[in-house]
Amino acid sequence: MKVYLITSQVEIGYILCEEIRKTGHFCIFYSDLEAFFLGMKNSIEYPDLIVADYLIYNHDSFNLYTALLSDDIYTPVIFYNDPCITRSNRANHWWGYIKECLAFNEETSPSYKLFKKNEKSYKSFFEKLADIVESDDLSQYIPLMQKPKPIPEEFKKSLRERLKEFSYDSMIESFRKRVKLPQNLYNTLKIFIENKGNPISISKLAEIYSRRFTKISVDSTRVNISRLKNYIEKDPNCILTLVKKKNGYELK
């Protein structure tokens, strides 16, 4: 087959072009789209396949295949470093594109005739090209081809905990602002949050409050609990519940 290669990464372009030639196919390398289109314009015979760097242009503002079709050029375009593989592997991803083109084009159309003529060549070439670009020696230097390192289990756990805490902290802060919770009741709430899921006695709560904030009696602590419970129950958007247990109060 006759293959045109396009990439602005010159060193990679020369390596890929040389490796493609080793597979028995003719290959010409272009380092930018302007040179590529000039080469296409001067071609007596168009290539059978265009292999492009995904980063050679902005895909939101330009479509290479559409631009080629506007000039009645039906050569298929694949991206050797496509970041979004939609099939089981890179070779099958490219091959799937060819099969779709065969399925959605009339048998009399120029696209179908070109794709059908090279069908077997495409399939074997894609497998060889995938081996080249995904090789450990080369892929580390090709943009979009670097495989991410696996996330350590301790990081996953830490991330889940941080997300959970962030969500819970945000909910508490929203509640505080929404009901204009007084500072002394917010201090009481913080102690309950730190002991969430565990009942805490009024005397223990008074002891912790006195040590962390300001001295408070058991009776005043009992009043704070009652007032905090009232704020929680009157707010329809609050999902907290302050429950009285045999051995104290528990925040749920």
Side-chain angles (χ1 to χ4, degrees):
M1 286 195 306
K2 185 178 182 181
V3 179
Y4 280 6
L5 173 70
I6 320 168
T7 177
S8 58
Q9 199 176 8
V10 177
E11 297 85 355
I12 295 297
Y14 282 123
I15 293 171
L16 287 179
C17 190
E18 183 180 349
E19 292 298 319
I20 289 171
R21 287 170 180 166
K22 286 179 182 179
T23 66
H25 299 283
F26 176 83
C27 184
I28 297 178
F29 161 52
Y30 295 96
S31 60
D32 61 69
L33 283 177
E34 185 177 351
F36 164 76
F37 278 110
L38 183 61
M40 292 292 282
K41 183 179 179 181
N42 295 328
S43 293
I44 298 173
E45 183 180 344
Y46 294 133
D48 300 295
L49 180 68
I50 296 166
V51 177
D53 179 349
Y54 192 85
L55 298 176
I56 198 69
Y57 60 83
N58 187 314
H59 292 254
D60 289 331
S61 57
F62 181 74
N63 186 304
L64 178 56
Y65 190 57
T66 302
L68 292 170
L69 285 179
S70 66
D71 288 332
D72 295 325
I73 300 171
Y74 303 97
T75 305
V77 180
I78 64 167
F79 299 95
Y80 63 82
N81 55 343
D82 195 323
C84 186
I85 302 302
T86 58
R87 288 174 173 82
S88 58
N89 57 52
R90 199 168 295 273
N92 285 340
H93 173 73
W94 297 325
W95 177 237
Y97 166 64
I98 297 297
K99 288 195 292 185
E100 287 174 4
C101 290
L102 286 169
F104 293 109
N105 279 283
E106 297 289 336
E107 292 188 13
T108 54
S109 71
S111 293
Y112 185 93
K113 291 177 180 178
L114 173 65
F115 290 17
K116 193 66 178 176
K117 182 189 77 170
N118 292 308
E119 187 175 3
K120 290 182 180 179
S121 297
Y122 287 143
K123 188 170 178 59
S124 61
F125 176 77
F126 292 156
E127 291 170 356
K128 292 174 183 176
L129 181 61
D131 287 340
I132 294 168
V133 298
E134 290 180 344
S135 66
D136 293 336
D137 291 336
L138 190 60
S139 63
Q140 59 183 314
Y141 304 111
I142 301 176
L144 307 179
M145 291 290 293
Q146 292 77 19
K147 296 178 182 178
K149 293 181 179 179
I151 299 175
E153 284 301 317
E154 59 270 21
F155 180 79
K156 291 180 185 177
K157 182 178 179 181
S158 174
L159 178 60
R160 285 194 294 267
E161 290 301 318
R162 287 201 301 272
L163 290 173
K164 184 178 178 182
E165 289 172 5
F166 176 78
S167 177
Y168 191 73
D169 289 347
S170 297
M171 183 269 292
I172 295 297
E173 188 61 26
S174 296
F175 166 69
R176 178 190 183 186
K177 291 179 179 179
R178 192 166 56 246
V179 301
K180 296 181 173 59
L181 193 67
Q183 186 63 45
N184 64 329
L185 300 188
Y186 180 60
N187 293 342
T188 302
L189 177 60
K190 284 198 289 187
I191 297 172
F192 275 121
I193 290 170
E194 291 165 3
N195 293 274
K196 192 174 183 295
N198 299 308
I200 182 170
S201 66
I202 295 176
S203 59
K204 184 65 176 177
L205 183 62
E207 178 188 331
I208 297 172
Y209 193 104
S210 297
R211 188 169 63 248
R212 287 187 52 186
F213 303 109
T214 186
K215 189 170 180 58
I216 189 171
S217 66
V218 170
D219 287 341
S220 294
T221 300
R222 185 178 286 107
V223 171
N224 280 356
I225 292 173
S226 177
R227 291 181 61 206
L228 176 60
K229 194 170 186 292
N230 190 47
Y231 271 101
I232 290 173
E233 290 175 350
K234 284 188 176 181
D235 180 17
N237 297 316
C238 185
I239 63 172
L240 298 172
T241 307
L242 198 53
V243 181
K244 186 175 183 181
K245 295 290 186 76
K246 184 184 295 185
N247 53 343
Y249 284 86
E250 179 183 345
L251 184 69
K252 292 186 174 180

